[in-house]
Amino acid sequence: DGGITQSPKYLFRKEGQNVTLSCEQNLNHDAMYWYRQDPGQGLRLIYYSQIVNDFQKGDIAEGYSVSREKKESFPLTVTSAQKNPTAFYLCASSATGWEFGYTFGSGTRLTVV
Amino acid sequence: DQQVKQNSPSLSVQEGRISILNCDYTNSMFDYFLWYKKYPAEGPTFLISISSIKDKNEDGRFTVFLNKSAKHLSLHIVPSQPGDSAVYFCAAIEGSNYKLTFGKGTLLTVNP
């Protein structure tokens, strides 16, 4: 079955530590995305990648980093420079043709303790 | 600057009645508009989309209407069911851009 897998589902981090969120897809989609959801804020784009070894900043990229070494994988690192990292993080992928938009993963809830 | 706006944070309707969720946009370059449904602690799931060259698209109980001159779209759910209770996001995309821009969402509650 094709889909997007995000892991872990819940993640706790101490202040000052970096943490990496995993996102893997087997849909053969070229493009992948990271969004962040905060209460009352909707979904905000962090980074996106249209092709392997290339990625662009979204609207709120500060304090985050990504890599795209394989088509199937797009990990997101939340660095200690991110001032308010506690949020729900969503990974998505898309193919060409926009009738169906993105396919989303089930999300990772990151909590800084 | 919000390009996609959902001005109603919440909506409550009775089971069996119509739910109408509204969305406004400012970017005239958007090619496609989509609606997503989201439950807490889950990823959004695609509901229905409409191309900018159409004014209506229907799929079962869900119909999306697009008024380009007013830069407004709406999602109609008829009849509403308790299982429809979720947050609904309006989203839009410029075809060459690959980026979906989301509204802030509307929490729909369907009461039995």
Side-chain angles (χ1 to χ4, degrees):
Chain A
D1 246 355
I4 296 183
T5 302
Q6 288 188 244
S7 60
K9 182 78 173 174
Y10 299 96
L11 191 55
F12 295 88
R13 187 195 93 176
K14 292 183 179 179
E15 279 194 38
Q17 287 182 340
N18 292 355
V19 64
T20 298
L21 282 60
S22 170
C23 178
E24 304 276 334
Q25 55 101 358
N26 59 4
L27 299 164
N28 200 33
H29 286 170
D30 288 316
M32 297 187 74
Y33 313 81
W34 275 103
Y35 282 85
R36 167 180 172 145
Q37 186 188 15
D38 296 283
Q41 291 287 334
L43 302 177
R44 294 183 291 169
L45 181 64
I46 304 172
Y47 267 98
Y48 65 105
S49 168
Q50 297 180 10
I51 196 168
V52 174
N53 292 322
D54 187 43
F55 48 82
Q56 287 79 39
K57 293 182 179 180
D59 302 317
I60 55 165
E62 185 175 350
Y64 299 97
S65 66
V66 293
S67 63
R68 186 86 187 278
E69 297 177 2
K70 299 186 300 182
K71 187 175 185 178
E72 302 79 16
S73 178
F74 192 40
L76 173 74
T77 297
V78 184
T79 75
S80 56
Q82 168 48 234
K83 300 201 182 317
N84 188 17
T86 295
F88 188 57
Y89 290 88
L90 286 158
C91 180
S93 69
S94 69
T96 55
W98 302 114
E99 293 89 329
F100 300 103
Y102 297 175
T103 301
F104 280 88
S106 57
T108 294
R109 165 69 63 182
L110 173 64
T111 303
V112 174
V113 297
Chain B
D1 182 30
Q2 249 194 303
Q3 296 188 65
V4 178
K5 300 178 185 178
Q6 294 177 257
N7 292 318
S8 298
S10 62
L11 174 68
S12 183
V13 300
Q14 286 298 120
E15 181 178 5
R17 307 293 284 269
I18 185 171
S19 295
I20 300 176
L21 297 101
N22 293 305
C23 178
D24 297 294
Y25 63 96
T26 58
N27 186 347
S28 57
M29 300 299 292
F30 285 142
D31 293 306
Y32 271 101
F33 302 89
L34 305 97
W35 286 92
Y36 281 84
K37 176 180 179 180
K38 185 182 181 303
Y39 295 114
E42 293 184 12
T45 54
F46 170 78
L47 265 181
I48 191 169
S49 66
I50 187 167
S51 164
S52 60
I53 62 173
K54 296 186 176 180
D55 55 18
K56 179 182 175 181
N57 189 25
E58 196 170 352
D59 184 3
R61 296 186 297 115
F62 302 92
T63 303
V64 57
F65 295 92
L66 175 62
N67 183 333
K68 281 191 70 176
S69 61
K71 292 191 174 68
H72 176 84
L73 63 156
S74 60
L75 174 68
H76 293 210
I77 306 174
V78 183
S80 301
Q81 300 172 354
D84 296 330
S85 298
V87 176
Y88 289 78
F89 288 101
C90 173
I93 193 164
E94 285 180 59
S96 61
N97 191 308
Y98 276 77
K99 285 168 49 178
L100 262 182
T101 301
F102 285 86
K104 292 189 175 183
T106 297
L107 174 62
L108 173 66
T109 303
V110 180
N111 301 302

